[in-house]
């Protein structure tokens, strides 16, 4: 771009721990723009060597979307924050863009190594199948659904092809991946525009596929979003999560749950999850493997304090 330039402005190290704001103004002589940035100065909580034990402090990240240097900095920052687990998508279409293409895991080899250098292991979520691996009989549960970006929601995979990829992936990284998640938010049409019965079939195919490639791995349900779903235009079943937990019993080791929002909204969901496990007689743990209070409306300090 004509006239484009980069300029670095060194900042003095803060004298006290805390969160700092930075007001930035820049222009090209014709137009001026302003933005407020923030950063924190804290005692590092890591990195710490080896796998985490007990409670695992983790994050969700889409690191591969960024240039290599930004990926390195993100891994470094995660390590300094004490992160021990990072959740990625298995990105089948990047590994094998066409049916006849050999699988190329180079991106994952580099990616896992990048975080493992910081003492961080990876939790893998499967889904987002390439077009050539969609079940040819799939038809959208709700053909009129339109989500973000006018998306029709993700399709149902050919289970034989899907299971083969899962086994291959888990076998390649045996000893490095302990946790494998069967889908992302399968109770939302945005991520699974197919009937709940199909997702139950997928769970029953996913479990043996993971164990075949890596018998030591723990199989997670897809991260469900709600105890119940009252909006029929967003889900294929109002009790999607409970139905899957009941009918796919024995085909998961961990119940994954996604809940977002303020503590006053989240706490009743925790009670509801415990009651659901009691009612179904489940003997597996549930994990909040994606959850947050958004900083959009309340700011980063309120987000950090949880208030």
């Amino acid at each position: 771009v004509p006239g484009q330039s980069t300029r670095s402005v060194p900042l003095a190290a803060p004298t006290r721990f805390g969160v700092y704001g930075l007001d930035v103004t820049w222009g090209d002589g014709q137009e001026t723009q302003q933005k407020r940035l923030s950063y924190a100065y804290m005692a590092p909580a890591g990195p710490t060597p080896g796998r985490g034990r007990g409670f695992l402090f983790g994050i969700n990240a889409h690191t591969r979307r960024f240039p290599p240097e930004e990926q390195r900095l993100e891994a470094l920052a995660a390590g300094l924050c004490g992160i021990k687990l990072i959740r990625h998508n298995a990105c089948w279409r990047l590994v094998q863009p066409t049916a006849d293409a050999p699988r190329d895991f180079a991106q994952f080899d580099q990616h896992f190594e990048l975080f493992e250098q910081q003492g961080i292991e990876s939790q893998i979520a499967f889904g987002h199948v390439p077009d050539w691996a969609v079940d040819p009989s799939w038809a959208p549960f709700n053909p009129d659904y339109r989500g973000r970006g006018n998306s029709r929601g993700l399709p149902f995979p050919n289970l034989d092809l899907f299971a083969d990829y899962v086994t291959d992936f888990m076998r390649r990284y045996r000893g490095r991946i302990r946790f494998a998640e069967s889908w992302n938010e399968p109770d939302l049409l945005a991520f699974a525009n197919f009937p709940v019965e199909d997702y139950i079939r997928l769970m029953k195919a996913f479990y043996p596929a993971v164990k075949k490639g890596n018998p030591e791995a723990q199989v997670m349900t897809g991260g469900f979003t709600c105890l119940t779903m009252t909006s029929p235009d967003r889900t294929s079943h109002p009790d999607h999560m409970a139905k899957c937990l009941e009918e796919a019993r024995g085909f998961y080791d961990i119940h994954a749950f996604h809940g977002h929002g303020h503590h006053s909204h989240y706490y009743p969901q925790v009670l509801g999850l415990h009651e659901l496990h009691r009612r179904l007689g489940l003997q597996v743990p549930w994990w909040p493997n994606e959850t947050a209070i958004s900083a959009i409306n309340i700011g980063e300090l309120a987000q950090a304090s949880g208030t």
Side-chain angles (χ1 to χ4, degrees):
V1 178
Q4 186 178 26
S5 64
T6 300
R7 182 181 179 187
S8 298
V9 180
L11 300 176
T15 57
R16 298 174 58 187
F17 291 145
V19 179
Y20 291 83
L22 183 65
D23 293 314
V24 181
T25 302
W26 72 96
D28 59 5
Q30 298 179 348
E31 182 181 1
T32 299
Q33 299 187 44
Q34 294 181 320
K35 188 173 184 179
R36 185 173 181 82
L37 306 174
S38 62
Y39 64 96
Y41 177 51
M42 302 181 294
T48 55
R51 287 179 166 178
R53 297 182 179 180
F55 175 77
L56 295 174
F57 179 34
I59 58 171
N60 289 269
H62 301 287
T63 312
R64 284 186 305 278
R65 296 179 180 178
F66 303 102
E69 177 59 15
E70 291 188 33
Q71 294 184 30
R72 187 189 69 81
L73 291 174
E74 183 168 89
L76 178 62
L80 291 171
C81 290
I83 300 298
K84 296 301 294 179
L85 189 69
I86 187 165
R87 181 172 177 256
H88 311 283
N89 188 281
C91 295
W92 186 1
R93 63 178 177 266
L94 297 181
V95 172
Q96 190 180 14
T98 61
D100 57 353
R103 290 173 181 161
D104 182 359
F105 290 96
Q107 289 189 49
F108 281 100
D109 293 344
Q110 298 167 7
H111 202 58
F112 292 158
E113 177 65 24
L114 186 67
F115 282 94
E116 287 166 357
Q117 289 173 358
Q118 303 299 324
I120 302 171
E121 62 180 311
S122 296
Q123 184 245 288
I124 294 298
F126 289 82
H128 294 75
V129 300
D131 292 342
W132 59 265
V134 172
D135 188 321
S137 66
W138 171 73
F141 176 84
N142 181 351
D144 298 322
Y145 175 79
R146 293 291 183 272
R148 288 176 297 182
N150 205 29
S151 168
R152 296 181 65 197
L154 297 183
F156 189 72
N158 177 305
L159 285 183
D160 290 336
L161 298 175
F162 180 68
D164 182 71
Y165 177 67
V166 170
T167 295
D168 195 21
F169 194 102
M170 296 304 295
R171 180 181 292 121
R172 182 179 183 88
Y173 298 109
R174 183 173 181 177
R176 298 172 72 179
I177 297 177
R178 286 192 287 171
F179 311 107
E181 185 179 356
S182 59
W183 206 261
N184 177 64
E185 301 186 350
D187 49 347
L188 295 183
L189 293 177
F191 293 104
N193 198 350
F194 45 82
V196 63
E197 292 80 9
D198 279 351
Y199 177 61
I200 292 171
R201 289 200 296 122
L202 186 148
M203 292 176 72
K204 293 181 177 180
F206 183 78
Y207 187 90
V210 170
K211 298 293 186 178
K212 182 179 178 181
N214 183 353
E216 301 85 24
Q218 296 286 291
V219 176
M220 307 171 70
T221 69
F224 298 101
T225 63
C226 296
L227 292 170
T228 59
M229 192 79 68
T230 57
S231 177
D233 60 345
R234 296 184 62 204
T235 187
S236 65
H237 196 284
D239 293 308
H240 195 292
M241 180 172 67
K243 186 176 178 65
C244 291
L245 293 174
E246 174 70 22
E247 298 188 18
R249 188 190 300 265
F251 289 91
Y252 55 91
D253 303 310
I254 296 169
H255 170 199
F257 182 74
H258 297 177
H260 297 268
H262 193 275
H263 178 266
S264 62
H265 171 70
Y266 190 79
Y267 182 68
Q269 296 182 80
V270 174
L271 298 180
L273 288 168
H274 282 288
E275 173 57 25
L276 177 62
H277 276 226
R278 186 201 64 77
R279 177 167 60 85
L280 296 180
L282 298 180
Q283 300 298 317
V284 301
W286 71 268
W287 282 17
N289 71 322
E290 183 183 312
T291 186
I293 300 176
S294 174
I296 293 175
N297 296 318
I298 62 174
E300 292 165 333
L301 284 175
Q303 180 193 52
S305 66
T307 59

